[in-house]
Amino acid sequence: MESVEDWRGLEIRQVDALLLDAKHVPETELYEVREQFPDASITYVVDEFTSALTAFAAAHNIRLAHASRVLSYLDEVIGQGQSTPILAFWGVYPRLGTTTIALAVAHVLAAQHGKSVGVLGLNAYDPGTAIVPGVEHHLDDMLSYLAQQKLDPETLQAAMKSVLRVKYLPGLQNQTRALAVMPEHVRHLLHVARSQFEVLVLDVGSALNTALALEGLQAATHRYVIANDLVATQRQLLRQMDYILRPLGVEPSDLMLVGSQVHGKGGLAKSVGMMQLASIPYYSSIDIYAEQSPEPMKVFLGEKTFRKAVETIAQSAVTASATTEVAASVRV
């Protein structure tokens, strides 16, 4: 065992295991560490477990350890269970592929993890049907039921379209109804949907000025931020954190960053102070081809890098990471 001040000093070495202290290695560097040491056993010592950190650790096979008792850490691993997942995907700007990513993750959860998955379009300004041909119903069709608190499971199921292995209710077509949907309407929709699916995936769009988006984010057990690496996007993300999310009690540690349409490597997570869960490069040619395909989702899922990223995101939602207690005496 060797102690070093900076993990980057190990980059040219063969490393079998890493014990990282959150006091010296911030959460925003964990993605970079795992990329550098893909096969190493990694344990991360922290003072507090957040839902985002727990999910990130599960996705990237990182053991979390509490900084209180080292002996029990050396002797045992205690599994930490999670409630039924509700995944909310928020795109900092439109056209970042938020709906595509949400549907792809839902499909992987169903196809590879055997889950029954429902996807709800909570985007009040874009129904999210560009990559889902042949949609007959939208969230608009549910509004009268929600206003009367009389939505039943059969009506919801009948309005949802089968997309690959999941059921999908697209968002609002009529943008003038965006601010007419009340928080209690959204809560009723989520209550009924929970009774029908093992996992809920919520596409909240990019505008955080509606009850649809905000109630979706607050109800979620896993919150994913879709962003590219442009400076304008990073600034918008930080503004939304300051003026909307923090006042609602949502901190950066409650969010997981998914790079989409990224042009380079690194820098995004550190710039916004969040953990980066996965990264998807920019596929301009694939976007055009997918739009012309009768099954656009299959085009994206057939791309290796895209598929790997959504599998990582899906894994973060279904795996409970091991959490243990580590003595403070081992921290320096």
Side-chain angles (χ1 to χ4, degrees):
M1 180 180 292
E2 179 182 352
S3 175
V4 296
E5 290 294 326
D6 189 340
W7 64 267
R8 292 177 181 82
L10 299 172
E11 289 183 350
I12 60 174
R13 307 266 294 277
Q14 177 66 40
V15 176
D16 296 321
L18 286 172
L19 178 63
L20 305 175
D21 192 331
K23 286 186 174 181
H24 302 287
V25 181
E27 294 176 351
T28 55
E29 293 183 8
L30 286 179
Y31 183 78
E32 188 180 354
V33 173
R34 176 49 84 194
E35 288 280 289
Q36 185 64 42
F37 304 104
D39 301 319
S41 172
I42 299 177
T43 300
Y44 191 55
V45 182
V46 296
D47 291 306
E48 179 184 7
F49 299 113
T50 65
S51 59
L53 179 59
T54 300
F56 176 91
H60 291 283
N61 194 25
I62 295 175
R63 175 180 295 176
L64 295 182
H66 195 273
S68 60
R69 289 175 16 208
V70 65
L71 294 180
S72 59
Y73 161 69
L74 296 173
D75 293 337
E76 62 182 340
V77 173
I78 303 173
Q80 176 171 303
Q82 295 181 4
S83 60
T84 300
I86 301 178
L87 287 61
F89 290 83
W90 166 50
V92 179
Y93 275 127
R95 306 301 299 169
L96 287 176
T98 304
T99 302
T100 303
I101 294 170
L103 285 169
V105 170
H107 169 71
V108 170
L109 285 168
Q112 297 186 8
H113 298 278
K115 303 292 184 180
S116 61
V117 185
V119 182
L120 301 179
L122 302 186
N123 188 343
Y125 301 104
D126 187 336
T129 54
I131 59 168
V132 185
V135 169
E136 296 182 6
H137 299 285
H138 298 78
L139 182 59
D140 309 60
D141 302 320
M142 302 293 102
L143 295 186
S144 60
Y145 296 100
L146 297 177
Q148 300 176 56
Q149 301 283 291
K150 291 184 177 180
L151 178 65
D152 58 70
E154 292 75 20
T155 301
L156 176 61
Q157 288 276 8
M160 301 181 81
K161 178 179 176 59
S162 294
V163 180
L164 299 178
R165 298 199 181 190
V166 306
K167 298 295 288 293
Y168 176 43
L169 177 67
L172 283 181
Q173 277 193 305
N174 184 356
Q175 296 183 12
T176 65
R177 305 298 302 276
L179 302 181
V181 182
M182 297 291 104
E184 58 269 24
H185 302 165
V186 185
R187 289 193 287 268
H188 180 49
L189 173 62
L190 295 177
H191 173 73
V192 176
R194 281 192 193 100
S195 71
Q196 298 300 294
F197 301 100
E198 294 177 287
V199 180
L200 280 183
V201 174
L202 312 178
D203 172 12
V204 305
S206 59
L208 299 184
N209 68 335
T210 67
L212 287 165
L214 297 177
E215 288 292 326
L217 281 173
Q218 289 186 296
T221 58
H222 298 69
R223 303 178 181 99
Y224 303 91
V225 180
I226 313 300
N228 59 28
D229 50 0
L230 299 181
V231 173
T233 305
Q234 297 171 22
R235 289 174 178 168
Q236 172 71 351
L237 172 53
L238 295 175
R239 280 194 296 267
Q240 300 285 54
M241 282 300 313
D242 289 339
Y243 293 111
I244 299 177
L245 296 176
R246 279 198 176 95
L248 292 175
V250 178
E251 295 293 331
S253 59
D254 299 315
L255 303 167
M256 286 171 284
L257 184 64
V258 176
S260 179
Q261 301 178 11
V262 295
H263 299 80
K265 289 186 176 181
L268 178 59
K270 290 182 181 179
S271 298
V272 297
M274 294 180 186
M275 291 180 295
Q276 184 170 335
L277 183 65
S279 181
I280 302 169
Y282 183 49
Y283 297 119
S284 57
S285 59
I286 294 180
D287 287 347
I288 296 172
Y289 177 66
E291 286 186 349
Q292 299 172 346
S293 170
E295 295 184 286
M297 288 303 304
K298 288 188 176 180
V299 175
F300 284 101
L301 288 167
E303 176 60 39
K304 184 178 179 180
T305 305
F306 179 88
R307 178 108 190 181
K308 181 180 178 181
V310 297
E311 287 175 348
T312 297
I313 299 169
Q315 189 70 22
S316 75
V318 298
T319 305
S321 66
T323 58
T324 55
E325 296 181 325
V326 180
S329 62
V330 301
R331 304 184 83 187
V332 294

